[in-house]
Amino acid sequence: MQLVGLTGGIGSGKTTVARVFEILGVPVYHSDQKARQLMENDSKLRAAIGRKFGSDSYRSDGSLNVAYLAELAFSDPSCLRELNALVHPYVAADIKSWMQQQVGPYVLMETALIRETMAMTQIFRIVAVIADANIRTERVRHRDGLDPARVQQRMSRQLNDTELHNLADYTVINNGTKSLIAQCLAIHKSLLGDVERDSRKS
């Protein structure tokens, strides 16, 4: 079983693309969702985050204070690196365990942090979701209630379209001008061929 990275910047629509692949029967590991679960439920990770970022990292009910940590991470690159350094080893262990329970020629890992993912796991192929900056800004503004300046700040901390194109083996254009389903079907078919050819080599 091969691990395929599905990436894209904030507001690009990679979660929507992930749902299309799930409909096609491909198991998808949603790294943001899983990371949050680990940050809330793993006692060692909770303690490490509390020591590093303070008691405000968690609310009085024990839930993760996402807004507080996001503000720290996106306003200070060093905080983002430190948070990722704490969380990534736990995610790496979790996805290895998750993959052992899946069936199929390949699985997808949805992640905005593809370079960090490449450093901690063996990625077979990369699929990048690309969308125009103004479209992404509007999506995030409506979804999260952030003003455009905040959205731009977060986008500036992520890979730009050129960097994503250079990293990706496949690209999904999500500007509303091309069918997402048709693009995903074509990529799925090609990935199945990639996996088959790779298995013949080994």
Side-chain angles (χ1 to χ4, degrees):
M1 179 181 291
Q2 298 287 4
L3 177 62
V4 175
L6 174 64
T7 192
I10 185 172
S12 63
K14 62 184 179 296
T15 300
T16 301
V17 171
R19 292 194 187 105
V20 176
F21 277 94
E22 285 179 316
I23 292 171
L24 294 174
V26 179
V28 177
Y29 183 93
H30 299 278
S31 60
D32 287 348
Q33 176 184 328
K34 292 288 188 176
R36 179 169 177 170
Q37 291 174 358
L38 291 166
M39 293 164 77
E40 288 190 334
N41 299 319
D42 189 286
S43 58
K44 291 183 179 179
L45 182 55
R46 284 177 63 96
I49 291 171
R51 286 193 301 269
K52 193 69 176 180
F53 300 102
S55 58
D56 286 339
S57 301
Y58 293 90
R59 301 184 187 279
S60 58
D61 63 358
S63 63
L64 187 69
N65 191 341
V66 177
Y68 169 77
L69 288 173
E71 183 64 26
L72 284 180
F74 285 107
S75 62
D76 185 346
S78 65
C79 286
L80 181 59
R81 288 192 296 270
E82 290 170 350
L83 182 61
N84 288 338
L86 287 176
V87 177
H88 280 168
Y90 290 85
V91 174
D94 189 63
I95 193 170
K96 288 178 182 177
S97 174
W98 176 83
M99 286 183 67
Q100 293 174 356
Q101 304 170 40
Q102 308 309 312
V103 177
Y106 75 91
V107 298
L108 280 179
M109 179 181 187
E110 178 198 353
T111 176
L113 305 174
I114 190 63
R115 282 180 173 164
E116 292 83 351
T117 301
M118 292 167 67
M120 69 180 186
T121 57
Q122 187 172 352
I123 299 292
F124 177 66
R125 294 288 188 272
I126 295 173
V127 179
V129 185
I130 306 291
D132 292 343
N134 62 321
I135 294 175
R136 294 169 57 195
T137 299
E138 282 302 300
R139 286 172 181 163
V140 178
R141 187 174 69 84
H142 286 291
R143 184 189 69 193
D144 299 337
L146 296 177
D147 62 69
R150 288 288 183 89
V151 180
Q152 293 293 326
Q153 180 191 51
R154 296 190 177 191
M155 288 170 60
S156 70
R157 305 294 187 199
Q158 299 181 326
L159 298 179
N160 59 43
D161 285 356
T162 299
E163 292 170 316
L164 286 171
H165 273 295
N166 291 338
L167 278 174
D169 300 285
Y170 299 98
T171 302
V172 177
I173 306 300
N174 189 22
N175 286 331
T177 57
K178 296 183 177 182
S179 167
L180 280 184
I181 294 175
Q183 292 181 80
C184 292
L185 279 169
I187 291 171
H188 176 59
K189 182 178 179 180
S190 187
L191 283 170
L192 291 175
D194 291 346
V195 172
E196 184 177 356
R197 284 187 291 273
D198 185 75
S199 64
R200 288 173 182 171
K201 292 179 184 178
S202 58

